[in-house]
Amino acid sequence: MQLFPCPFCGPRSETEFHFGGDAGNHRPEGFRDVTDGEWTAYLHERNNLRGAANEIWMHMTCGEVFRMERDTVHHGIARSFALTEGDGDDRLAH
Amino acid sequence: MTRHYSALSLFKEGLAGQKGWQQAWRSPQPKPRYDILIIGGGGHGLATAYYLAKVHNIRNVAVIEKGWLGGGNTGRNTTVVRSNYFFPESTALYEMALKLYEGLGRDLNYNIMLSQRGIITLAHSEAEMEMAARTVNAMQINGTDAELFGIEDVRRVLPLLDMSPDARYPVFGGVWQGRAGTARHDAVAWGYARAADRLGVDIIQSCEVEEFLIEGGRCRGVKTSRGEIRAERVGMVIAGHSSHLAAKAGFRLPITSYALQACVSEPIKPALDTVVLSPATGTYASQSDKGELVVGGGLDRVPSYGQRGNLPMLETVISGLLEMFPSFRQLRLMRQWAGIVDVTPDSSPILGESPLPGLFLNCGWGTGGFKAIPAGGTLLANLLATGKHHDVSRPFDLDRFARGRLIDEAAGSGIAH
Ligand SMILES: Cc1cc2nc3c(=O)[nH]c(=O)nc-3n(C[C@H](O)[C@H](O)[C@H](O)COP(=O)(O)OP(=O)(O)OC[C@H]3O[C@@H](n4cnc5c(N)ncnc54)[C@H](O)[C@@H]3O)c2cc1C
Ligand SMILES: [Zn+2]
């Protein structure tokens, strides 16, 4: 079993966390101007990176949502941030 | 030199000390150009090559595999075949596959050890029983075999199941599909490989596709670890790794990759002669011909390319199994493993042309594509040969995500995706 670092609670069991998708997948703005392609990309398309990934996670026990840099092959965790912290660059990998 | 498998050839080779058997498929050098190139030597890729050669008479075809044949999910799955899905589109697809499986041993001259021992999907509450009735109705209307089982029927097919009043998971009945069962997964890959090779298909192992050759906005071939190979059309059939190559072709897919685990117990005498699936506990099991219990369950909850799996899901699956079958508590686990599966938002596969013209997709089978191999191969071969959809593959095109016509089988198929 793996420990994930919640920026608020510290290291906790992976079973307490819920995957929330790619970091930087922002809801398209502009109502009618948003094309089918943009909606499809937002709703369904995923980076699904093999290796270093930048993801949103929820710690279900405290209810906080945060960002985590993780390797999807060896499962090593580089860093985790509160959404208000870090370098401000959410590294959109669209 | 013996290439045909029959009782007579077995007998003759027995007398000759088994020395005359020929290699089941060649190991050719890649040619610089093919009519059609298939990336991925799993069941779907090999079946595609076979049907291209057999049905469409296109034989200048290569299958490129980075590792060894069937070393991906095709050789890692729990071998269950069935067509008990909910939506008409899905039943058409999986029923096409099951019907082909029923004749496949003969078609390929290769024993795929199809064993139609039936599958029971258990209902553990009144509410689940109502859903079971709904599923049975849908399956019958869609034209596949289904029966609603009551408690006595379940007791008959699962004598070891804990059905006592204080059982942790009480049983109310379930959905029965009698034509479902298991098939030997390696044999499916090897049978298709041997038959495709005989029709002239080049099967190239230890050759990884690294990039695409894109000219004039079209896919013209691939760059591999063994050089460039050109082709008119390319099929990408690489299960959990599709997103990785899609990125190199310049597009993203509606896919998340997860590890899916399975395990086997030590072999025991016959104790379970059907496939049992319990959506509530997230566990399914069958007994292999060797006597091992083959046990599987849901996806790991962490997106991953780490092909080993993690402990929490294994614990859930095993505890579900032991609550239902207390007598299995004595068994020892022999092996555990995982494969990387490609999960789509509607738990249905993707079949169709990719956003890069000339590159076609067969992926997104997630936790359940073994049962679909003969259909996936037939349909991708049709797409590659004609450039057009078959009626059965049309609903599974990538465009369904833009059109909003999802085929949401996450609940319909009765398995935790
Ligand atoms: C534990 C487990 C249990 C399962 N149980 C069942 C079951 O009971 N019933 C069922 O129907 N399904 C089951 N499945 C799902 C099923 O195994 C898969 O959906 C199916 O095997 C997919 O077949 P495929 O040919 O598409 O992929 P694969 O068999 O994975 O083949 C893809 C091939 O592509 C190769 N490849 C990848 N990248 C490259 C590259 N860049 N260049 C060249 N080659 C490449 C890989 O090495 C691999 O051999 C299970 C899966 C797992 C992991
Ligand atoms: Zn927390």
Side-chain angles (χ1 to χ4, degrees):
Chain A
M1 192 194 54
Q2 188 176 13
L3 297 178
F4 283 173
C6 170
F8 307 94
C9 314
R12 296 296 176 102
S13 159
E14 64 179 286
T15 57
E16 293 182 15
F17 294 83
H18 181 75
F19 177 59
D22 296 316
N25 185 25
H26 298 304
R27 190 174 192 280
E29 298 292 338
F31 197 50
R32 285 184 202 283
D33 299 337
V34 178
T35 63
D36 291 355
E38 286 168 315
W39 272 122
T40 311
Y42 166 68
L43 289 173
H44 298 305
E45 289 170 12
R46 301 289 173 254
N47 296 335
N48 198 26
L49 298 169
R50 192 160 86 188
N54 186 9
E55 302 169 331
I56 300 293
W57 284 81
M58 182 188 220
H59 185 205
M60 293 181 294
T61 30
C62 75
E64 291 285 353
V65 174
F66 64 97
R67 183 157 73 84
M68 184 155 78
E69 289 177 8
R70 186 177 73 94
D71 189 295
T72 60
V73 178
H74 59 63
H75 291 191
I77 291 168
R79 295 188 289 181
S80 69
F81 306 90
L83 292 181
T84 50
E85 287 176 51
D87 47 20
D89 171 14
D90 63 7
R91 253 159 260 150
L92 292 197
H94 282 182
Chain B
M1 282 294 171
T2 311
R3 276 206 99 179
H4 189 79
Y5 302 153
S6 67
L8 183 65
S9 59
L10 252 175
F11 181 69
K12 280 195 192 148
E13 283 303 328
L15 292 179
Q18 314 286 359
K19 295 214 175 74
W21 295 112
Q22 219 181 331
Q23 261 190 345
W25 53 82
R26 300 161 295 133
S27 291
Q29 284 300 317
K31 289 192 269 179
R33 179 181 292 279
Y34 290 92
D35 292 340
I36 295 178
L37 198 77
I38 315 278
I39 314 173
H44 282 273
L46 293 164
T48 303
Y50 170 66
Y51 293 118
L52 272 172
K54 187 191 151 192
V55 178
H56 302 279
N57 204 23
I58 302 177
R59 297 175 180 217
N60 185 21
V61 172
V63 178
I64 311 283
E65 164 58 46
K66 75 171 170 187
W68 65 95
L69 292 191
N73 292 337
T74 298
R76 291 167 186 270
N77 65 64
T78 45
T79 76
V80 180
V81 296
R82 55 187 177 86
S83 64
N84 53 353
Y85 283 70
F86 186 78
F87 293 104
E89 296 89 340
S90 312
T91 309
L93 177 65
Y94 293 101
E95 185 61 24
M96 172 193 240
L98 189 54
K99 288 212 178 92
L100 285 166
Y101 262 134
E102 287 173 330
L104 196 61
R106 193 170 282 271
D107 185 19
L108 300 179
N109 176 230
Y110 205 99
N111 186 2
I112 60 156
M113 296 165 77
L114 178 70
S115 159
Q116 292 177 289
R117 61 186 87 165
I119 184 169
I120 174 76
T121 305
L122 295 173
H124 295 283
S125 66
E126 275 304 346
E128 282 181 27
M129 204 50 198
E130 283 174 17
M131 290 306 285
R134 178 171 175 263
T135 304
V136 166
N137 286 340
M139 285 166 61
Q140 289 177 349
I141 290 168
N142 292 335
T144 186
D145 63 309
E147 246 180 275
L148 187 65
F149 264 20
I151 293 179
E152 285 315 313
D153 302 309
V154 173
R155 207 189 301 276
R156 179 168 48 80
V157 298
L158 294 176
L160 294 182
L161 183 70
D162 182 2
M163 295 183 71
S164 58
D166 54 352
R168 170 92 166 76
Y169 295 103
V171 170
F172 286 66
V175 179
W176 173 255
Q177 187 180 38
R179 282 165 60 241
T182 60
R184 174 94 162 97
H185 51 7
D186 297 313
V188 171
W190 298 336
Y192 273 121
R194 175 171 173 280
D197 176 87
R198 287 189 114 179
L199 295 174
V201 171
D202 281 1
I203 297 172
I204 298 154
Q205 302 183 66
S206 304
C207 179
E208 179 163 6
V209 170
E210 291 161 347
E211 305 277 348
F212 291 95
L213 302 173
I214 302 172
E215 288 160 14
R218 260 191 87 82
C219 179
R220 304 281 176 186
V222 296
K223 217 184 263 174
T224 77
S225 51
R226 289 166 67 180
E228 282 186 9
I229 307 177
R230 297 188 157 261
E232 296 302 314
R233 290 194 172 125
V234 179
M236 185 167 101
V237 200
I238 55 174
H241 302 275
S242 303
S243 302
H244 183 69
L245 279 193
K248 307 223 168 184
F251 58 92
R252 296 196 305 162
L253 286 169
I255 283 181
T256 307
S257 294
Y258 290 93
L260 179 66
Q261 304 184 68
C263 56
V264 293
S265 75
E266 59 188 321
I268 49 172
K269 65 186 180 183
L272 179 63
D273 71 353
T274 187
V275 181
V276 53
L277 187 155
S278 160
T281 63
T283 305
Y284 65 93
S286 66
Q287 189 168 14
S288 76
D289 297 329
K290 266 190 282 185
E292 305 152 328
L293 289 178
V294 182
V295 185
L299 295 167
D300 286 4
R301 295 171 56 262
V302 179
S304 174
Y305 289 91
Q307 204 159 267
R308 56 191 184 287
N310 67 1
L311 201 53
M313 188 46 75
L314 195 62
E315 277 176 348
T316 306
V317 168
I318 298 290
S319 49
L321 181 76
L322 300 188
E323 287 293 351
M324 291 192 292
F325 296 93
S327 52
F328 294 163
R329 284 171 193 237
Q330 319 165 39
L331 298 183
R332 269 174 292 224
L333 274 192
M334 301 279 284
R335 297 186 299 283
Q336 168 276 353
W337 66 93
I340 301 305
V341 300
D342 44 354
V343 179
T344 59
D346 60 356
S347 307
S348 285
I350 299 169
L351 288 161
E353 195 163 11
S354 81
L356 178 64
L359 177 65
F360 290 75
L361 304 170
N362 166 332
C363 61
W365 295 98
T367 61
F370 172 66
K371 66 173 80 66
I373 282 173
T378 298
L379 297 169
L380 182 61
N382 181 74
L383 273 158
L384 286 165
T386 66
K388 295 201 190 75
H389 268 294
H390 187 287
D391 283 347
V392 175
S393 61
R394 184 68 195 84
F396 296 95
D397 193 275
L398 187 59
D399 69 2
R400 75 175 182 274
F401 297 97
R403 294 190 303 128
R405 268 196 72 91
L406 304 191
I407 305 162
D408 196 348
E409 282 290 352
S413 70
I415 184 168
H417 281 274

